[in-house]
């Protein structure tokens, strides 16, 4: 392959890439919508005075909510409530 053929090949590749970049902004982009509204749930984990939350019970409650599709967002240590969303 001579240098002129190599130069022509490189120029053709560059021209094709420039044409692709020029056409790409005109391609319509599909509009994507959310699957549904976001749901929130507040769970009160407060125990009667004098009792503390058992870790196993807390893990079981979190596992049950996770199986239903709820994701823990935040927990407030003052009033012992947690916010979940799905």
């Amino acid at each position: 392959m001579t240098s002129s053929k190599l130069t022509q090949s490189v120029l053709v590749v560059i021209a094709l890439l420039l044409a692709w970049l020029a056409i790409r902004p005109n391609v319509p982009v599909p509009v994507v919508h959310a699957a549904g509204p976001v749901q929130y749930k507040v769970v009160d984990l407060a125990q009667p005075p004098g009792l503390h939350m058992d870790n196993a019970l807390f893990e079981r409650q979190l596992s049950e909510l996770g199986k239903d599709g709820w994701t823990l967002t935040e927990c407030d240590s003052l009033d012992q409530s947690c916010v979940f969303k799905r």
Side-chain angles (χ1 to χ4, degrees), residues 41-47 53 58 61-62 65 71-85:
K41 182 178 200 172
V42 178
V43 178
D44 185 20
L45 299 174
Q47 296 293 315
M53 172 65 81
F58 187 64
Q61 287 180 338
L62 289 176
L65 289 166
T71 303
L72 179 64
T73 303
E74 70 175 275
C75 282
D76 186 12
S77 61
L78 294 176
D79 62 356
Q80 297 179 344
S81 62
C82 292
V83 179
F84 295 86
K85 83 174 198 176

Side-chain angles (χ1 to χ4, degrees), residues 34-68:
V38 176
Q39 297 175 332
Y40 292 94
K41 182 178 200 172
V42 178
V43 178
D44 185 20
L45 299 174
Q47 296 293 315
L51 294 178
H52 295 289
M53 172 65 81
D54 181 27
N55 285 339
L57 176 63
F58 187 64
E59 288 176 6
R60 194 173 18 220
Q61 287 180 338
L62 289 176
S63 295
E64 289 175 11
L65 289 166
K67 288 178 187 175
D68 292 336

Side-chain angles (χ1 to χ4, degrees), residues 5-60:
K5 292 275 189 188
L6 178 63
T7 305
Q8 286 178 352
S9 300
V10 170
L11 288 176
V12 167
V13 169
I14 291 173
L16 289 173
L17 288 174
L18 287 173
W20 179 70
L21 287 174
I23 294 172
R24 198 174 93 193
N26 297 329
V27 175
V29 177
V31 178
V32 178
H33 299 285
V38 176
Q39 297 175 332
Y40 292 94
K41 182 178 200 172
V42 178
V43 178
D44 185 20
L45 299 174
Q47 296 293 315
L51 294 178
H52 295 289
M53 172 65 81
D54 181 27
N55 285 339
L57 176 63
F58 187 64
E59 288 176 6
R60 194 173 18 220

